[in-house]
Amino acid sequence: HKDLRMTDYLLAFFGFFSSNENQWLFLFLSAFLSATVLPGNSEIVFSALATKSIYAHESFWHAELWLLVLVATVGNSLGSIVTYAMGMLAPKPINSQKRLVKWALEKSEKYGVYVLLLSWLPFVGDILCAIAGWLRFPAVASVIFITIGKFCRYLILLVSLYPLLKYVVG
C-alpha cells in the first residue's frame, strides 16, 4: 500500500505541473528561476510546451505560441531584474580570476547598458545583469534591454524547433 500511495503522490505532483491549467505557472516559475542563481531549465520547459502546442494546433504560428513566448520572457526578465537588484548590493568584483566575470565587467564598462542585450546568454547573462546593478546602470533602460534580450532568447528557441518538427506538423 505504501508503494501505491507514493506512486499516487508522484503522479499528482507531476500532473499538477503538466496540466493545461498550471503549465503557464510552471513555465513562468521555471523561466524566473533560470534567470537567477537557482536552476530552472526554462529552455526545456518552454520547448516541451511549445512542441505540445504545435502538435495540438498543427501549426507553428498561433496565439498560444506567442503567449508561451510572452510568459517565458516576463518570467525570465523578472528573474534577471532580481539579479540586477542583487548586483546593487554586491561588493566590487576586484581582480576576479574568473574569466567570464572579467570579460563581462570589461564589456559592461565599454558598452554600458547595451551589453544587457546579451543577458539571454547562458552563464554570462546572469553575470552581466549583476554587474549592471553593481555599476548602477539606469534601471528603466536596464529593464528594457534585459527584456529585449530575453524575448530574443525564446524567439530563437521557438524558431529552432521548426527544423525539428516541420516534417511532423506538415
Side-chain angles (χ1 to χ4, degrees), residues 141-164:
S142 296
V143 168
I144 290 169
F145 287 111
I146 286 170
T147 303
I148 291 169
K150 301 300 185 165
F151 174 76
C152 290
R153 169 192 209 143
Y154 292 105
L155 194 59
I156 289 167
L157 194 54
L158 180 61
V159 170
S160 68
L161 288 174
Y162 179 74
L164 301 171

Side-chain angles (χ1 to χ4, degrees), residues 36-130:
T36 65
V37 293
L38 301 171
N41 299 317
S42 70
E43 295 84 1
I44 295 169
V45 174
F46 176 83
S47 296
L49 293 175
T51 300
K52 176 182 159 187
S53 179
I54 290 166
Y55 282 133
H57 292 89
E58 295 183 355
S59 169
F60 257 88
W61 308 111
H62 57 278
E64 186 174 306
L65 282 179
W66 291 108
L67 188 57
L68 284 171
V69 171
L70 177 68
V71 169
T73 298
V74 169
N76 210 240
S77 297
L78 288 174
S80 288
I81 292 165
V82 168
T83 303
Y84 168 90
M86 289 170 48
M88 295 178 87
L89 304 172
K92 181 179 180 179
I94 300 173
N95 296 329
S96 175
Q97 299 301 318
K98 295 183 179 178
R99 192 178 54 139
L100 280 178
V101 174
K102 287 172 73 172
W103 180 88
L105 186 55
E106 288 172 9
K107 298 305 177 198
S108 295
E109 289 174 336
K110 182 175 181 179
Y111 296 108
V113 73
Y114 299 106
V115 77
L116 292 173
L117 290 171
L118 301 177
S119 65
W120 65 274
L121 291 172
F123 307 112
V124 75
D126 297 335
I127 298 168
L128 290 171
C129 293

